[in-house]
Amino acid sequence: MSKYELRDKTALLSGVTYEQSLLATTTLTPPLLTRIGGSDGFHTLATLFYDRVFDDKENPWFLGIFASSTKSEAVDNQYRFLVQTFGGEALYKEKKGKYTRLVGRHANYKITTDAAERWVVHMNGAIDEHEELKQDEEAKEYLTMYFRFTAFYIVVASVYMKNDQLSGGVQIDSGRVW
């Protein structure tokens, strides 16, 4: 399946087009990295998100997806990914290697449409709680589209993953360095 077909399937599932998902990384002036408060702002967003995930007692199945990481590891990985994705230093690359391979890094987990929806609920809550973003409707809108598309892209693309495309092989890394 081509990347264009994956994007089209993701758009149908998420309600967000690939082009809309790029707005957060391409059109904001000043850029999102500045609007959110620099790298620290992304650390805050990742912390707010994982606070919500690890406190989600009503959906233990969802927390189970994150069982291979501690909360601090999960925050650090997401923080590094977000800083790099939104124009900051290559922190994720420093820790994980040249390619983000987001789908491959999540392929060992059962990421369903329900899980993507739950992920989006928690991320939207974190965005709403973030002090730097509370009054920035444009940044919130673009971030919401980016995260929704990305969460559902993982669902769609994971169906087409081959064993040699998994990051870390076919089993979860015992050192939990995800």
Side-chain angles (χ1 to χ4, degrees):
M1 173 163 292
S2 76
K3 66 181 177 183
Y4 303 106
E5 292 170 304
L6 290 174
R7 290 173 184 171
D8 289 345
K9 285 184 177 279
T10 302
L12 287 172
L13 194 59
S14 70
V16 177
T17 67
Y18 174 69
E19 292 75 20
Q20 289 173 314
S21 76
L22 295 178
L23 293 174
T25 59
T26 60
T27 63
L28 290 173
T29 304
L32 189 57
L33 184 62
T34 302
R35 289 175 180 227
I36 202 166
S39 296
D40 289 343
F42 281 118
H43 193 272
T44 299
L45 184 62
T47 300
L48 290 168
F49 171 76
Y50 279 107
D51 284 347
R52 296 174 67 82
V53 168
F54 279 77
D55 289 342
D56 189 353
K57 306 299 184 214
E58 295 177 26
N59 297 284
W61 62 269
F62 183 70
L63 182 57
I65 294 169
F66 301 92
S68 69
S69 295
T70 66
K71 185 175 172 181
S72 63
E73 289 169 331
V75 167
D76 183 63
N77 288 335
Q78 187 177 76
Y79 153 74
R80 288 170 178 272
F81 175 80
L82 294 174
V83 168
Q84 182 172 315
T85 297
F86 291 101
E89 296 178 58
L91 301 176
Y92 194 80
K93 179 181 172 182
E94 288 174 7
K95 183 175 181 180
K96 301 289 189 175
K98 185 176 180 182
Y99 302 105
T100 55
R101 298 189 69 191
L102 202 55
V103 175
R105 293 212 182 271
H106 292 84
N108 290 312
Y109 306 97
K110 301 296 181 211
I111 311 294
T112 63
T113 55
D114 287 343
E117 284 290 359
R118 194 80 197 137
W119 193 97
V120 169
V121 164
H122 287 310
M123 184 52 78
N124 287 346
I127 290 169
D128 288 342
E129 289 178 52
H130 196 289
E131 287 299 323
E132 297 294 330
L133 296 174
K134 280 185 177 180
Q135 303 304 316
D136 193 338
E137 293 302 320
E138 183 180 43
K140 286 168 50 174
E141 177 186 1
Y142 289 3
L143 265 177
T144 299
M145 288 190 290
Y146 170 81
F147 287 129
R148 184 164 184 82
F149 183 88
T150 302
F152 283 92
Y153 185 83
I154 291 170
V155 173
V156 170
S158 66
V159 172
Y160 302 98
M161 291 294 296
K162 298 174 185 159
N163 283 342
D164 66 345
Q165 294 174 307
L166 302 177
S167 294
V170 294
Q171 295 188 5
I172 296 173
D173 291 344
S174 61
R176 295 189 324 218
V177 181
W178 282 85

